[in-house]
Amino acid sequence: MPDEVWDRTEIRTLVLADNGLTELSERVRELRALRMLDLGHNRLRRVPDGLGDLIDLSDFLYLHDNALTELPHSLGRLVKLRYLNISNNAFQTLPDAVTNMSGLIELRVTDNRLAALPDAISKLTRLRELHLRNNGLTTLPVAIGALGELRQVDLRGNPISSLPATLLDLPRLEKVDLRWVTTLTAPAWFAELEAKGCAVYR
């Protein structure tokens, strides 16, 4: 990246998508006015710790379609961030930093290698949409029942074999998408979930 980019400390939006980037300078920390950062469709294997210094990043952070396997703990400081997309990477576990982003409203982790979600997902109490399509999930944690603002859960293409009944505890849940899931016998409580107005697609 040309140094002139990092000298523009007043910018609020930075789109670096589709540039074949293999690394990102620590100087990104200097762009303290950023509200949206798009690093999607590159070749990043890591992102710098300095990204966590962008504490006013509030609108969008796109990291999808890279080669990421982890995120630095510093990103957990992005508590104002409302939308995070880390889809199409190589995450085997959900990074701890993500579960500390307490302002998230929408989280997209599709097309990764997640085998499970941590109980710490319960800290994302403002989350409305959780997109987990095409991972290796066999269930969801019981702690999912703490996400009182959750509206949509996309589990398409996962080898789901069971789901926690705590989904019934979610007062705003509107949609559970289980299409392309061939491993789940629908539990009896699905009828109660649907009676509460939640659409279960399967």
Side-chain angles (χ1 to χ4, degrees):
M1 292 297 302
D3 284 341
E4 303 91 88
V5 173
W6 314 123
D7 294 335
R8 298 285 303 278
T9 56
E10 79 287 355
I11 60 174
R12 297 167 64 90
T13 297
L14 179 59
V15 178
L16 298 174
D18 293 294
N19 275 296
L21 297 178
T22 57
E23 61 181 20
L24 184 69
S25 171
E26 283 284 356
R27 288 196 65 192
V28 69
R29 71 173 72 230
E30 299 172 28
L31 304 182
R32 299 297 180 91
L34 277 185
R35 299 295 185 271
M36 189 277 270
L37 176 60
D38 188 349
L39 296 168
H41 301 285
N42 281 294
R43 301 174 190 167
L44 298 172
R45 294 187 177 275
R46 60 175 297 275
V47 293
D49 287 341
L51 203 58
D53 289 343
L54 304 181
I55 57 174
D56 285 328
L57 196 67
S58 56
D59 296 343
F60 302 95
L61 176 56
Y62 296 96
L63 296 172
H64 59 291
D65 289 290
N66 279 286
L68 300 170
T69 58
E70 59 184 5
L71 294 177
H73 291 292
S74 64
L75 266 64
R77 297 198 295 266
L78 304 181
V79 296
K80 295 181 182 180
L81 188 64
R82 290 176 290 182
Y83 175 100
L84 175 66
N85 190 342
I86 56 173
S87 298
N88 293 94
N89 279 288
F91 293 105
Q92 296 186 27
T93 58
L94 188 67
D96 291 341
V98 174
T99 59
N100 287 323
M101 295 177 180
S102 55
L104 283 181
I105 291 175
E106 183 170 341
L107 174 59
R108 292 182 175 268
V109 200
T110 67
D111 296 281
N112 276 280
R113 303 172 186 172
L114 302 185
L117 286 185
D119 288 340
I121 194 76
S122 63
K123 294 191 288 184
L124 302 181
T125 54
R126 297 184 62 196
L127 199 65
R128 296 182 185 180
E129 296 187 25
L130 180 57
H131 297 269
L132 299 164
R133 185 184 71 240
N134 294 337
N135 278 281
L137 300 171
T138 58
T139 189
L140 294 175
V142 171
I144 201 81
L147 303 184
E149 294 296 322
L150 197 62
R151 270 77 160 174
Q152 298 182 27
V153 184
D154 183 356
L155 294 166
R156 287 176 291 170
N158 282 277
I160 299 290
S161 59
S162 66
L163 286 172
T166 50
L167 287 173
L168 286 169
D169 298 334
L170 302 177
R172 302 182 190 279
L173 193 62
E174 300 170 352
K175 176 181 176 181
V176 178
D177 199 336
L178 293 163
R179 287 175 290 176
W180 319 330
V181 173
T182 61
T183 47
L184 177 68
T185 299
W189 53 263
F190 267 12
E192 185 178 349
L193 191 62
E194 292 175 317
K196 293 172 65 174
C198 178
V200 181
Y201 295 94
R202 56 187 190 275

